[in-house]
Amino acid sequence: MGYFNYTRRKSSEVHIGNTPMGGDNPVRIQSMANVPTLDTDASVAQAIRIIDAGGEYVRFTAQGEREARNLGNIRKNLNELGYTTPLIADIHFNPKVADIAAEYIEKVRINPGNYVDKVKTFDHLEYTDEEYAREIEKIRNRFIPFLNICKKHKTAIRIGVNHGSLSDRIMSRYGDTPEGMVASCMEFLRICKEEQFNDVVISIKASNTVVMVETVRLLVQTMDAEDMHYPLHLGVTEAGDGEDGRIKSAVGIGALLADGIGDTIRVSLSEEPENEIPVAKKLVNYICQREGHTPISGTLINGYDTIKLKRHITRTIGEIGGNFPPIVISDQEEGLFNIGDSSLQPDYIYTGKELPGFLPDNTRLLVDADTWKPQPNIFPYFRAADIEKLGKCNSPLKFVEASCEEITDRLIEILKNDPASVLILTSQHQNYPGSIRACIHRIISTGCNVPIVLKKEYSENDPEDLQIKAAADFGTILLDGFGNGLMLHNKSANHIPSDKYLFGILQATRTRISKTEYISCPSCGRTLYNLQETIAKIKKATQHLKGLKIGIMGCIVNGPGEMADADYGYVGAGRNRISLYKKKTCVLRNIPEEEAVSKLVQLIKENGDWND
């Protein structure tokens, strides 16, 4: 793994049917079916759509023994049609189902939070050391027979920890923390190592990208300390749909891939499963292009922790830097003024040498320094070549664009001593995050606390490509704790309105909240209502509630847990039945689906969180 220079983490190889993972194998792409596993024809048809789109593994939920056994029929039918792509069973609550599934397909996912531990009740229980040890022994006694079945049938396993389904036992000792998620995983990994069972893949997921990235990095560090090198499955749970789902996934997964972490990924979108595959492939291909890049020289700031990340505090200029949320600068040098969503107006607009003929009131402009004249709300934009002129400019706010290659000791000294300056830092290095990281660490190490706006140029004609690449690049640095703003220049014939993507990236990194956030699961065979239609209805009713977080879950498996981070929750409770939550507390149970959205709106209003 590399912080400044991209290199993939060397993991152990796991045998999964005819598609091994880890080691020298490429990063694998997968998805999960959302049709009932008992519907063999629908399952086979959907698996084929996923495989034809490029999926290398297909996962199915198996709620009970019947579903687990029917995976054998799905496997058989696919084989007869010439599809040998490995299948994965997704198991919750019932270890007997995992035993059965292991006899039929190539891999079984179990959740440590509910494999043996009782269903989570959110009780705040205290466990003595002796009680805790007895619970671990219960796990051993149940888990080892499962491993023996897997050995016999050459079945791989995934130990899949979810932020939303930690057991009461783990919660009692560690709380809802990265340390608790890692501890939950390591209990099972140590048993695998003792039993010399090596076909193990691990995932640690959360809907909060900050938690997800910190936890996976902590897990890798913990495994390294115990000489474990199992491959990692990456994903952001409940990422949502559309633009937001793509950006959130690219932020979380992209930040870890940038570190060289990750052997398979699943982009969880609340859409048809085959839609996930192209997004995942684009993200992996973009990051892996960094392989063999020109080396980057960098040194970490003294005391900087690459796992427990804190926001770096710079000096403040007006409402830039310090504890203020990052700004958005719209690059409108070509005079297009195509800034997209009118509810998400940029903080500043860069217009190059020309002033536009019209703009909304109180718009703040940046113009090239050589044409700038003192006027209200208009500020100069310098280039690195003009840095010696900075001190002669009397503007209360000055922006200086410089690439990492242009950051000289002299430029740092000038920025350090000019309290009105803001640095716009850019790089066209093949490894953008590594280059920016090295430069920021160098600047800070000199004692310079200038606010830094992150900028990158792209040449994308496809909005999805731009969303994925910008989210992966900017998201990595923002999750590091750096960046007081974002600016994006896209050279394309299509003039994609990209400012809204910047707001989406800031929201996904939890650095600036500018709209309603939806924590929605991708659906699976456990979902008993039309998730995609429901998400659209809830968004239509609530999308004006800036800063409110609403969880939309197909079932109870991760529902209350993932929604601990949400203000309100909408959870499938049975066929066409919904339960509504206020944070972790269920306040309305088993409502008819046709009444549930209006009841959710009513609940939000009753709690004073509604505004018109």
Side-chain angles (χ1 to χ4, degrees), residues 202-390:
I202 313 152
S203 67
I204 287 199
K205 297 185 181 182
S207 64
N208 181 325
T209 58
V210 180
V211 171
M212 175 245 190
V213 170
E214 179 182 327
T215 306
V216 172
R217 287 173 176 167
L218 179 61
L219 173 65
V220 171
Q221 182 188 71
T222 306
M223 285 198 300
D224 284 347
E226 299 190 27
D227 196 27
M228 296 179 183
H229 308 285
Y230 302 110
L232 282 153
H233 166 131
L234 304 181
V236 178
T237 58
E238 288 78 44
D241 63 350
E243 175 188 311
D244 289 339
R246 284 155 176 78
I247 287 174
K248 193 172 185 180
S249 292
V251 163
I253 299 171
L256 291 166
L257 289 175
D259 290 348
I261 297 171
D263 301 277
T264 181
I265 75 167
R266 190 247 173 137
V267 172
S268 298
L269 300 176
S270 301
E271 301 175 16
E272 291 305 309
E274 59 267 29
N275 292 355
E276 298 176 351
I277 302 300
V279 180
K281 289 171 73 173
K282 287 177 180 180
L283 179 56
V284 168
N285 290 342
Y286 182 57
I287 303 294
C288 289
Q289 286 171 4
R290 297 171 187 168
E291 191 78 52
H293 65 68
T294 304
I296 298 166
S297 176
T299 304
L300 291 174
I301 307 161
N302 277 341
Y304 182 77
D305 189 336
T306 58
I307 295 174
K308 282 277 187 187
L309 303 174
K310 296 180 182 176
R311 187 125 195 92
H312 173 68
I313 304 301
T314 68
R315 69 187 180 216
T316 303
I317 309 164
E319 295 182 356
I320 303 176
N323 287 309
F324 286 103
I327 62 171
V328 170
I329 300 177
S330 178
D331 189 333
Q332 300 291 335
E333 186 175 7
E334 298 173 11
L336 299 173
F337 295 97
N338 185 11
I339 55 179
D341 190 340
S342 60
S343 67
L344 298 173
Q345 294 295 322
D347 303 285
Y348 295 86
I349 299 176
Y350 170 62
T351 64
K353 296 186 180 299
E354 301 295 328
L355 288 176
F358 68 94
L359 275 175
D361 293 339
N362 301 317
T363 300
R364 291 174 289 189
L365 299 181
L366 309 182
V367 297
D368 288 341
D370 57 358
T371 60
W372 176 81
K373 295 177 182 177
Q375 296 178 62
N377 289 330
I378 299 179
F379 306 99
Y381 192 97
F382 289 84
R383 309 287 173 173
D386 301 320
I387 193 65
E388 297 295 342
K389 300 176 183 177
L390 192 70

Side-chain angles (χ1 to χ4, degrees), residues 47-336:
I48 289 172
R49 290 196 296 274
I50 293 169
I51 295 164
D52 287 348
E56 294 170 282
Y57 307 117
V58 181
R59 181 158 46 117
F60 289 91
T61 184
Q63 305 98 301
E65 295 181 20
R66 289 174 62 216
E67 286 86 354
R69 289 194 175 88
N70 199 53
L71 287 170
N73 295 324
I74 296 168
R75 173 75 281 163
K76 177 175 174 289
N77 287 13
L78 283 168
N79 287 346
E80 289 172 353
L81 293 168
Y83 289 89
T84 59
T85 299
L87 303 184
I88 304 167
D90 193 70
I91 312 296
H92 293 274
F93 303 119
N94 193 337
K96 176 62 177 173
V97 176
D99 295 347
I100 295 168
E103 298 182 19
Y104 293 103
I105 57 174
E106 290 80 8
K107 183 178 166 192
V108 176
R109 178 272 175 107
I110 61 166
N111 184 340
N114 55 39
Y115 180 73
V116 171
D117 283 312
K118 66 177 183 177
V119 176
K120 180 172 49 179
T121 61
F122 297 107
D123 292 334
H124 295 287
L125 303 174
E126 291 292 332
Y127 286 78
T128 65
D129 289 345
E130 292 76 16
E131 289 171 331
Y132 205 91
R134 283 199 296 272
E135 294 298 314
I136 298 294
E137 193 58 28
K138 277 187 194 175
I139 291 173
R140 288 183 57 83
N141 292 339
R142 187 62 190 83
F143 188 48
I144 290 174
F146 169 64
L147 293 182
N148 290 333
I149 294 170
C150 291
K151 286 178 183 178
K152 178 180 176 181
H153 293 276
K154 295 183 170 55
T155 306
I157 70 169
R158 169 158 67 98
I159 297 171
V161 182
N162 275 8
H163 191 212
S165 53
L166 294 177
S167 68
D168 276 340
R169 179 177 58 80
I170 289 290
M171 293 280 283
S172 73
R173 180 157 294 192
Y174 297 95
D176 196 6
T177 63
E179 289 78 9
M181 295 171 74
V182 170
S184 180
C185 182
M186 292 301 295
E187 289 175 354
F188 282 72
L189 284 184
R190 290 182 185 116
I191 297 171
C192 289
K193 187 174 181 180
E194 289 166 11
E195 295 298 310
Q196 298 182 328
F197 185 90
N198 299 318
D199 285 329
V200 183
V201 181
I202 313 152
S203 67
I204 287 199
K205 297 185 181 182
S207 64
N208 181 325
T209 58
V210 180
V211 171
M212 175 245 190
V213 170
E214 179 182 327
T215 306
V216 172
R217 287 173 176 167
L218 179 61
L219 173 65
V220 171
Q221 182 188 71
T222 306
M223 285 198 300
D224 284 347
E226 299 190 27
D227 196 27
M228 296 179 183
H229 308 285
Y230 302 110
L232 282 153
H233 166 131
L234 304 181
V236 178
T237 58
E238 288 78 44
D241 63 350
E243 175 188 311
D244 289 339
R246 284 155 176 78
I247 287 174
K248 193 172 185 180
S249 292
V251 163
I253 299 171
L256 291 166
L257 289 175
D259 290 348
I261 297 171
D263 301 277
T264 181
I265 75 167
R266 190 247 173 137
V267 172
S268 298
L269 300 176
S270 301
E271 301 175 16
E272 291 305 309
E274 59 267 29
N275 292 355
E276 298 176 351
I277 302 300
V279 180
K281 289 171 73 173
K282 287 177 180 180
L283 179 56
V284 168
N285 290 342
Y286 182 57
I287 303 294
C288 289
Q289 286 171 4
R290 297 171 187 168
E291 191 78 52
H293 65 68
T294 304
I296 298 166
S297 176
T299 304
L300 291 174
I301 307 161
N302 277 341
Y304 182 77
D305 189 336
T306 58
I307 295 174
K308 282 277 187 187
L309 303 174
K310 296 180 182 176
R311 187 125 195 92
H312 173 68
I313 304 301
T314 68
R315 69 187 180 216
T316 303
I317 309 164
E319 295 182 356
I320 303 176
N323 287 309
F324 286 103
I327 62 171
V328 170
I329 300 177
S330 178
D331 189 333
Q332 300 291 335
E333 186 175 7
E334 298 173 11
L336 299 173

